[in-house]
Amino acid sequence: MEDFIAGLPKCELHLHIEGTLEPELAFELAARNGLELPYGSVAELRAAYSFDSLPSFLRVYYEGMRVLRTEPDFYDLAMAYLSRAAAQNVRHAEIFFDPQAHTGRGVPFDVVIRGLRRAVMDAGARLGVRAQLIMCFLRDYQAEYAMATLLESLPYKEWIVGVGLDSDEKGNPPAKFADVYARARQEGYLLTMHCDVDQDGAIEHIRQAVEDIRVDRLDHGVNLLEDQRLVELVLERGIGLTCCPISNGHVTGSMQAEGIRKLMDLGVRVTVNSDDPAYFGGYVQENLIALQEALQLTAEELAGLERNAFEIAWLPRAVKDAYLAEVDVHLSSTEL
């Protein structure tokens, strides 16, 4: 089964590029930029990647990204992820980035987006991995800052496929960003939004995202199961969920595997992704393996998860169909 998963063509839709910062690269970038890390070794830094909640993770996450200063830093970060993705047979990735986490500490938007864009183009040419960028707003900052960031992105919007919303949800509901999302839609961006698992007001946040903001996708979103009416609305509109089992295990104490199973059985377009793999210890392949072991998924069910991902990816129909055909070929040519 692990060999089947390794060869399965994959689509990753919930991946924070800043969350792919492995300790080795953090030390390399710190040295390049003349920064001193508060850790004596790679092993010591990796040991600090230990969390039991969303806030405890975010503290270490934001501290780590201060080593990212220049365009080559962002290029190297993205190429490191895309190289690893290629090795795991990821055919397409839609990558979150957090510009406010960088502009807020003096790194220009232009530096961030140009480094990431160059990596996306090189990965397509050299590695055969297609990728697109999704710009996220930090929900624990003011909506006005999000709007300013949206406006700053407009000269580069051909490089950005959509917008998302992440960071600490407590006291920061989707409604806070309704005007920002309305403008983003007007500018042609597709819309997604984090509704993290078991956060305060989780089901109300999902309701606002689906009914009021009218997102195209939901990130995480397992608490959808708490409201049958919302389940039916998600099914009616074909909204997909970008679930992250290993991440769930660190942040909530459970992979939420049974919830993912129920969503699959209901016909919701569930997908499996890695979220912040450097911090949570598993890229997309490891997440698929973990979920397969927890639920004893069949090869057909695993292929179905990837079909879901390619179906809800923000890609032209012909490109989706080509990737779906790759999944079908892999399934039909594998004996288990």
Side-chain angles (χ1 to χ4, degrees):
M1 189 60 79
E2 287 193 13
D3 287 344
F4 174 79
I5 291 171
L8 183 62
K10 301 171 187 68
C11 178
E12 178 146 50
L13 303 176
H14 189 145
L15 183 284
H16 298 269
I17 198 60
E18 294 90 350
T20 68
L21 181 62
E22 293 286 349
E24 294 84 355
L25 183 57
F27 269 90
E28 181 183 327
L29 298 182
R32 176 192 292 175
N33 292 317
L35 301 173
E36 192 76 30
L37 293 179
Y39 304 97
S41 66
V42 166
E44 191 177 326
L45 175 53
R46 193 176 296 280
Y49 289 7
S50 178
F51 324 101
D52 57 11
S53 67
L54 180 59
S56 67
F57 158 68
L58 290 172
R59 282 194 295 273
V60 178
Y61 176 70
Y62 290 124
E63 176 190 86
M65 67 177 70
R66 68 187 183 90
V67 302
L68 297 163
R69 297 292 184 88
T70 69
E71 183 180 322
D73 295 343
F74 288 96
Y75 175 87
D76 289 347
L77 176 70
M79 278 302 288
Y81 163 70
L82 289 163
S83 297
R84 196 154 190 164
Q88 294 197 349
N89 205 24
V90 173
R91 305 291 288 117
H92 176 69
E94 295 181 1
I95 299 171
F96 296 130
F97 71 106
D98 288 326
Q100 291 166 287
H102 310 299
T103 58
R105 57 189 177 84
V107 179
F109 188 101
D110 181 76
V111 166
V112 179
I113 189 69
R114 287 189 181 280
L116 297 178
R117 170 67 175 180
R118 190 158 55 88
V120 165
M121 297 303 291
D122 283 355
R126 300 178 191 173
L127 304 174
V129 179
R130 188 178 184 127
Q132 300 183 125
L133 298 174
I134 300 172
M135 180 179 70
C136 285
F137 307 115
L138 301 184
R139 66 200 309 155
D140 40 358
Y141 288 169
Q142 305 95 327
E144 291 81 3
Y145 188 9
M147 184 67 84
T149 300
L150 175 64
L151 296 177
E152 192 171 13
S153 76
L154 296 182
Y156 310 96
K157 69 179 182 180
E158 290 186 4
W159 297 353
I160 302 169
V161 69
V163 299
L165 185 68
D166 60 16
S167 201
D168 195 350
E169 287 199 30
K170 190 171 184 178
N172 299 297
K176 174 180 172 182
F177 298 90
D179 290 345
V180 180
Y181 267 69
R183 177 62 184 271
R185 187 191 301 279
Q186 180 183 330
E187 294 293 344
Y189 288 129
L190 294 164
L191 311 180
T192 189
M193 185 175 284
H194 277 52
C195 291
D196 285 285
V197 179
D198 293 345
Q199 301 299 302
D200 290 346
I203 193 62
E204 172 59 16
H205 287 189
I206 292 173
R207 189 204 65 76
Q208 290 179 18
V210 172
E211 290 192 331
D212 301 339
I213 308 294
R214 294 188 63 84
V215 294
D216 302 293
R217 284 204 304 250
L218 278 174
D219 301 313
H220 297 299
V222 177
N223 293 95
L224 176 69
L225 289 163
E226 297 172 18
D227 189 320
Q228 181 59 32
R229 184 183 63 83
L230 286 178
V231 170
E232 291 170 3
L233 184 56
V234 163
L235 286 168
E236 178 186 324
R237 289 175 48 194
I239 296 171
L241 271 59
T242 65
C243 299
C244 307
I246 292 176
S247 166
N248 291 342
H250 284 269
V251 173
T252 73
S254 165
M255 286 202 305
Q256 306 293 326
E258 292 306 319
I260 292 172
R261 168 87 269 176
K262 289 177 184 176
L263 290 164
M264 291 171 64
D265 291 344
L266 288 167
V268 175
R269 286 174 165 172
V270 181
T271 67
V272 173
N273 311 271
S274 65
D275 203 356
D276 300 280
Y279 292 88
F280 296 133
Y283 287 76
V284 66
Q285 185 164 305
E286 288 77 23
N287 274 269
L288 285 164
I289 290 170
L291 191 66
Q292 191 281 325
E293 291 176 346
L295 297 177
Q296 293 302 295
L297 297 175
T298 65
E300 176 60 46
E301 287 170 329
L302 289 162
L305 289 168
E306 293 309 320
R307 289 193 194 101
N308 287 345
F310 286 118
E311 282 289 356
I312 68 169
W314 292 336
L315 289 169
R317 183 72 250 175
V319 177
K320 292 183 184 187
D321 288 343
Y323 288 136
L324 290 167
E326 290 184 23
V327 172
D328 291 342
V329 167
H330 180 68
L331 180 63
S332 65
S333 64
T334 303
E335 293 184 10
L336 293 175

